[in-house]
């Protein structure tokens, strides 16, 4: 699923506007694209870049925002952004990685656009998108803190990292296990709101782990989402018989995972 986000600018120098245009053209093959709108079309923008080093730009933006205060802004500046920054900054000079990372993070935080997150997918994320996703997940965990506790059981590092970002966007506290034995130890020590369990694990497989989890008083009511590369009806039946709440075949797209989270954790909301 591709999407093009409209970007409006206030006060950037002509050479910076040209740089942005070149960056947007270079990024045209990504699923997350950007296009600059004219000053007359700024009301239709989904992101605004405001030159906060320019008093005229700030004044123009403030006048505009009186009637359009719902558009997220990125403050463009030469200065080092404050830490921790409560607002979004883009530091000069404008480079491809810096621009895309900041804009990507806004589309994730504000517009909830995360098509790249596929659990068990083979397509690697580009550097800017990966950094933006990590940043958005970290921000959500620090500021949202839903109190929801999740356990992810998978021996694949890419899957664990993807799930870390996915669930981090919901402000969840996440524990990770690489084997069935580790998963059972975690499940004995803590009450989880949801467990994501891979079928094929070193040692005890996911079916047996699920059966044990469902037989224990502390975890018998915890939803177990089985993640696996096997998608046959027989495998799904085995998962259901073991006590799995739902069976997802990898690769799992972010939209499908969101549906499952909404089903079992209706109070969870990505990005706060």
């Amino acid at each position: 699923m591709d999407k093009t986000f409209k970007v409006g600018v206030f006060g950037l120098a002509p050479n910076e506007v040209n740089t942005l245009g070149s960056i947007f053209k270079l990024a045209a093959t990504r699923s997350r694209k950007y296009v600059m709108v004219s000053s007359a079309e700024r009301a239709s923008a989904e992101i605004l870049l405001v030159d906060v080093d320019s008093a005229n730009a700030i004044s123009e933006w403030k006048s505009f925002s009186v009637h359009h205060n719902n558009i997220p802004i990125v403050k463009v500046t030469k200065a080092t952004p404050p830490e921790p920054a409560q607002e979004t900054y883009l530091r000069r000079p404008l480079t491809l990685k810096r621009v895309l990372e900041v804009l990507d993070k806004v589309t994730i935080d504000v517009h909830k656009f995360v098509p790249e997150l596929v659990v068990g997918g083979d397509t690697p994320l580009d550097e800017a998108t990966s950094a933006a996703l990590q940043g958005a997940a970290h921000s959500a965990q620090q500021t949202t803190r839903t109190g929801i506790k999740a356990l992810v059981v998978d021996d694949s590092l890419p899957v664990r990292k993807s799930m870390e970002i996915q669930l981090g966007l919901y402000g969840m506290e996440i524990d990770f296990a690489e084997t069935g034995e580790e998963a059972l130890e975690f499940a004995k020590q803590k009450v989880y709101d949801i467990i994501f369990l891979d079928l094929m694990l070193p040692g005890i497989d996911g079916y047996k782990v699920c059966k044990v989890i469902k037989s224990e008083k502390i975890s018998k009511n915890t939803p177990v989402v089985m993640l696996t590369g096997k998608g046959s009806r027989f495998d799904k039946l085995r998962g259901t018989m073991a006590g799995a709440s739902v069976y997802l075949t990898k690769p799992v797209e972010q939209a499908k995972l969101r549906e499952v989270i909404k089903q079992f954790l209706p109070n969870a909301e990505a990005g706060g």
Side-chain angles (χ1 to χ4, degrees):
M1 177 177 66
D2 290 358
K3 181 171 174 58
T4 300
F5 291 91
K6 297 179 180 179
V7 180
V9 301
F10 285 88
L12 298 188
N15 65 305
E16 291 181 319
V17 172
N18 290 336
T19 297
L20 282 176
S22 298
I23 290 172
F24 293 168
K25 287 180 181 178
L26 289 171
T29 58
R30 305 164 86 230
S31 60
R32 191 188 311 267
K33 311 175 198 299
Y34 301 98
V35 63
M36 218 170 333
V37 297
S38 68
S39 58
E41 301 172 309
R42 286 187 294 215
S44 68
E46 291 147 297
I47 303 172
L48 296 175
L49 300 181
V50 181
D51 183 355
V52 294
D53 295 335
S54 165
N56 289 336
I58 294 173
S59 177
E60 185 184 3
W61 166 71
K62 285 184 175 179
S63 297
F64 173 86
S65 66
V66 170
H67 300 290
H68 307 91
N69 62 358
N70 61 334
I71 306 174
I73 72 164
V74 174
K75 296 185 173 183
V76 183
T77 179
K78 290 180 181 178
T80 301
E83 289 290 346
Q86 298 302 314
E87 298 170 300
T88 304
Y89 289 86
L90 174 57
R91 190 164 53 84
R92 291 180 162 106
L94 306 185
T95 64
L96 185 143
K97 180 179 182 298
R98 194 174 286 168
V99 168
L100 293 182
E101 183 176 329
V102 169
L103 294 184
D104 285 358
K105 188 173 183 299
V106 174
T107 65
I108 296 164
D109 285 341
V110 180
H111 298 293
K112 310 295 188 285
F113 184 72
V114 200
E116 300 93 348
L117 280 178
V118 178
V119 178
D122 296 325
T123 304
L125 299 177
D126 64 58
E127 189 177 357
T129 303
S130 179
L133 288 168
Q134 292 280 7
H138 178 73
S139 297
Q141 286 177 314
Q142 296 300 310
T143 60
T144 307
R145 291 196 178 279
T146 57
I148 296 171
K149 297 178 176 63
L151 174 63
V152 175
V153 189
D154 202 298
D155 62 330
S156 166
L157 178 59
V159 169
R160 294 198 303 275
K161 293 301 294 182
S162 179
M163 289 297 290
E164 180 181 15
I165 295 171
Q166 293 261 18
L167 303 182
L169 293 173
Y170 291 85
M172 295 188 194
E173 299 173 24
I174 316 159
D175 288 328
F176 296 93
E178 298 182 39
T179 67
E181 290 82 356
E182 288 180 1
L184 293 178
E185 284 300 315
F186 274 115
K188 288 178 183 177
Q189 298 169 18
K190 187 184 294 187
V191 177
Y192 290 99
D193 297 288
I194 194 165
I195 296 173
F196 295 90
L197 176 62
D198 186 33
L199 171 59
M200 304 300 291
L201 294 167
I204 306 174
D205 66 28
Y207 295 129
K208 293 178 182 176
V209 172
C210 188
K211 285 181 180 178
V212 174
I213 286 173
K214 287 298 182 178
S215 69
E216 298 289 343
K217 186 176 180 179
I218 189 174
S219 55
K220 66 179 181 180
N221 295 320
T222 302
V224 175
V225 180
M226 202 159 265
L227 303 171
T228 178
K230 294 187 175 184
S232 72
R233 292 179 62 185
F234 175 71
D235 291 312
K236 292 181 180 180
L237 178 61
R238 283 189 67 191
T240 301
M241 291 177 65
S245 305
V246 66
Y247 193 105
L248 297 179
T249 304
K250 292 185 282 190
V252 182
E253 294 185 353
Q254 194 259 353
K256 184 63 178 177
L257 191 59
R258 180 186 292 172
E259 289 178 13
V260 169
I261 291 172
K262 185 175 181 179
Q263 177 184 351
F264 294 106
L265 303 168
N267 293 327
E269 182 180 351

